[in-house]
Amino acid sequence: MSSYARVVASVGIWLAALGYPGSSKAQQSPVTAIDIALEPDAVMVAHAQAVNARLRAVFPKGFSLDATHHPHLTMLQRFVRTADLEKIYAAASKAFESYNVTSFKLKAYKYYYLTDPSLGGLGLSGIVVETTPELIKLQQDLITAVAPYTVRTGTAAAFVTTPAAPEINDPTIKYIEAYVPEHSGEHLELHVTTGLAPVDYLNKIIAEPFEDFTFSPLGASVFHLGNYGTAQARLKELKVK
């Protein structure tokens, strides 16, 4: 898989920072592109914001982690029928009921970054989170729960767009089409995106010792996706225990 394909789910946060929408368009299209994500606690948020501050010090044009760019862990991305969104919220919440999500002890263990020629010498950095058998099982339960409402593909109308990023590119659509199986099961890769900076600087960060830390999810939400797969607008906060 190309570096572009791997970065496609995260780089849109930078673009979305240039123009965040006032509301979701999920009710205006028969198909909606969604992201079901875990939302981390203050421990992870503090680590992510600390890295983000460092990156913005060397690259001020990068995005900030704020109320519209909250750190999250993507569990599943899918095209679904808009008319079934309420059923999806209920099905996903039910899938979470079998897990004590807020008791998960997740381990963050290294920094990483992805780059692509389209980023022009910049890299998108993140904190990598250890994938556990329980998380893989949870993802499979979510895939099964959402399957009756999933459609094979969608058009640009399935996404959130902004004045700064009015288009939805073809790689974004294809990424979500192929999310299962290319990013599920043994291919699940969890990370919290932290920011954008020149590759030379990111290499220095990666060379630094990383002190492992643990954190827990505070909850989970369904987001409406934007270009490059960013979780751009919260559609529903899910019930978890």
Side-chain angles (χ1 to χ4, degrees):
M1 181 167 54
S2 70
S3 60
Y4 181 82
R6 296 185 63 196
V7 80
V8 76
S10 301
V11 69
I13 297 174
W14 173 44
L15 301 177
L18 301 176
Y20 188 76
S23 62
S24 171
K25 300 193 304 177
Q27 301 303 322
Q28 300 177 20
S29 169
V31 175
T32 300
I34 65 167
D35 186 323
I36 302 177
L38 296 175
E39 299 192 61
D41 64 15
V43 174
M44 171 57 86
V45 171
H47 279 84
Q49 288 178 336
V51 177
N52 180 258
R54 291 182 62 183
L55 302 184
R56 284 181 51 77
V58 299
F59 188 67
K61 293 182 180 180
F63 64 88
S64 299
L65 295 180
D66 52 28
T68 59
H69 302 92
H70 189 77
H72 67 278
L73 289 163
T74 291
M75 292 299 298
L76 180 64
Q77 293 182 352
R78 297 268 75 186
F79 286 112
V80 299
R81 291 186 293 272
T82 303
D84 291 328
L85 280 174
E86 291 297 330
K87 295 178 182 178
I88 290 165
Y89 305 151
S93 290
K94 187 174 182 179
F96 278 113
E97 287 178 1
S98 299
Y99 301 84
N100 293 314
V101 172
T102 58
S103 297
F104 285 177
K105 299 301 180 184
L106 305 182
K107 176 183 175 182
Y109 65 96
K110 69 176 181 179
Y111 296 124
Y112 87 120
Y113 72 87
L114 298 175
T115 191
D116 185 87
S118 66
L119 294 177
L122 300 174
L124 191 72
S125 77
I127 299 172
V128 181
V129 177
E130 188 176 76
T131 302
T132 67
E134 190 170 33
L135 288 170
I136 293 174
K137 185 177 184 301
L138 170 57
Q139 186 195 50
Q140 184 56 57
D141 288 350
L142 290 170
I143 292 170
T144 301
V146 173
Y149 317 110
T150 298
V151 296
R152 188 185 67 82
T153 190
T155 67
F159 297 79
V160 178
T161 57
T162 73
E167 304 296 330
I168 303 298
N169 60 30
D170 188 60
T172 296
I173 294 173
K174 292 189 179 303
Y175 184 92
I176 297 169
E177 286 176 349
Y179 193 92
V180 178
E182 289 186 5
H183 304 280
S184 61
E186 64 180 2
H187 303 297
L188 176 61
E189 298 175 345
L190 295 174
H191 63 274
V192 174
T193 299
T194 54
L196 197 70
V199 167
D200 288 347
Y201 186 75
L202 294 178
N203 283 331
K204 293 179 181 179
I205 290 181
I206 287 180
E208 298 172 359
F210 186 97
E211 185 174 346
D212 295 355
F213 65 90
T214 59
F215 68 100
S216 298
L218 285 180
S221 293
V222 178
F223 290 92
H224 193 180
L225 290 167
N227 201 27
Y228 293 94
T230 181
Q232 196 160 342
R234 181 183 281 104
L235 295 173
K236 183 71 173 182
E237 184 176 348
L238 301 176
K239 296 179 181 179
V240 300
K241 65 179 182 179

